[in-house]
Structures are given as structure tokens and as C-alpha cells.
Amino acid sequence: MKHSTTRSLYEYWDNLRGHRPAPDRSEVEPGQIRSLLGDTFILEVIDPVTYRFRLAGTRLCSLHCRELKSRNILRGWRGEDDQALATLLAAVSDDAGAAVLGISGHTERDQTIDMEMLLLPLHVPGEGCSRVLGSCVALQQPYWAGLHPILSQSIKSVRLLWPDEKPAFLSSGITSSVP
């Protein structure tokens, strides 16, 4: 994890979960991660191809020059990266994995910005891990950030993490939250 926001959010999530595969959504206390909120988001798992933003921080929305709430995070990826991201999100929501991605955001002027994204499962009683807590932070701030919207993204690197050394379904019998 390259960025301090990514490391801080992961540490907060890991402390909340304790020995469980994922903390409950109700345990996330925004006041405890106040300085990270501008770069954080929560996704709702709708189905295997729809992961809708329920919340998105102001810095993240500013990079895209638009409100992200209610949008599907799988929209706007280059090539087959939307399928790769869907597979990662399934590992996060179904198997309580965590993922760190290196991504590039692209504007209509072919400007790029390197970012780091973190995806972490959140448990909802009766639904399984149907929420994803995440962050997406720019690794540098070019002069045009917030002036020219990010219209597409591409994946540069992926790291899937198993906080307990193996997928949750192998250790605790957690079942999928997606039909």
C-alpha cells in the first residue's frame, strides 16, 4: 500500500473486524476516520455486475468532476478491466478478501492520473458482505485535477489480500451475498 490513506483505512477496518472476516457495516464510525472521508466510498452489492456507490467522498467526486452516488463503479473502465474489477469485487464481497489496485484515470484530453484503490468487505446482518468500504486516492495532484473529469479508468496492478491467510469460506462457512 503506497498511500497513507490506504494504509490508515485498512488498519481501521482490520481493527474493527478483529477475528471476524469483516466488521459489521454499523460499526463503521465516520468520526473515527474523519480525515479519510474525502477519499472513501461505500458500495452496495446489487448483483454480479452492479456495485452501486452509496456514498462517495468529496475529493473522489472532485477528481471525477461529478457526484458518484448511485453510479455503478463498473462503468467507465477500459478494455476488459470492468470484468477484472467485477471479479475482484466478488472476491471481496463473497470471500471477505481485501484488494489493493493501482489504477490510472484518463480524461478526454488524454491526461492521466495515477491512483490507489482499496476494497474492503463490510458485513450486513442477514445479507452477508453486501457492502464494500473503499478508498481511492490520487498519488499526485496534477494542476488539472478537478478541472477535467476522469472519464475512464484502467487497472495497472492488483493485489488480493486474505487478512486471515485464506478466503473466509474456507474458515468460517460464510456464504455468498450475491445470488
Side-chain angles (χ1 to χ4, degrees):
M1 296 180 206
K2 295 178 182 178
H3 200 278
S4 61
T5 295
T6 308
R7 290 187 302 271
S8 295
L9 187 61
Y10 182 85
E11 182 179 309
Y12 172 75
W13 172 85
D14 197 38
N15 287 334
L16 275 183
R17 76 178 187 90
H19 296 291
R20 301 169 294 168
D24 282 347
R25 162 62 184 101
S26 62
E27 293 177 273
V28 176
E29 182 56 49
Q32 293 181 2
I33 53 172
R34 181 173 292 124
S35 65
L36 310 176
L37 292 178
D39 300 308
T40 61
F41 57 85
I42 293 181
L43 302 174
E44 177 181 20
V45 180
I46 305 297
D47 59 46
V49 294
T50 310
Y51 294 81
R52 184 172 47 215
F53 283 100
R54 292 198 40 115
L55 300 167
T58 54
R59 284 186 294 267
L60 181 57
C61 291
S62 178
L63 277 175
H64 289 82
C65 297
R66 64 186 165 276
E67 176 62 55
L68 296 175
K69 186 176 179 183
S70 299
R71 291 180 177 263
N72 184 357
I73 195 172
L74 296 178
R75 286 182 47 199
W77 291 85
R78 291 186 171 188
E80 295 181 0
D81 285 352
D82 59 338
Q83 294 169 23
L85 184 59
T87 300
L88 281 171
L89 285 163
V92 170
S93 60
D94 292 348
D95 303 328
V100 180
L101 296 87
I103 63 175
S104 289
H106 308 274
T107 71
E108 75 280 0
R109 297 179 177 207
D110 289 326
Q111 298 158 311
T112 61
I113 185 168
D114 290 332
M115 298 179 283
E116 184 172 64
M117 182 181 284
L118 176 65
L119 303 169
L120 304 164
L122 291 176
H123 181 263
V124 176
E127 296 180 22
C129 292
S130 63
R131 300 289 187 278
V132 176
L133 174 63
S135 65
C136 187
V137 61
L139 298 177
Q140 78 281 346
Q141 285 294 324
Y143 73 92
W144 54 264
L147 297 173
H148 303 287
I150 293 173
L151 298 179
S152 65
Q153 298 172 112
S154 57
I155 296 174
K156 295 171 48 175
S157 65
V158 173
R159 182 171 172 214
L160 191 56
L161 308 169
W162 301 109
D164 293 323
E165 305 295 324
K166 57 186 168 183
F169 73 88
L170 292 176
S171 57
S172 65
I174 287 182
T175 59
S176 172
S177 61
V178 180

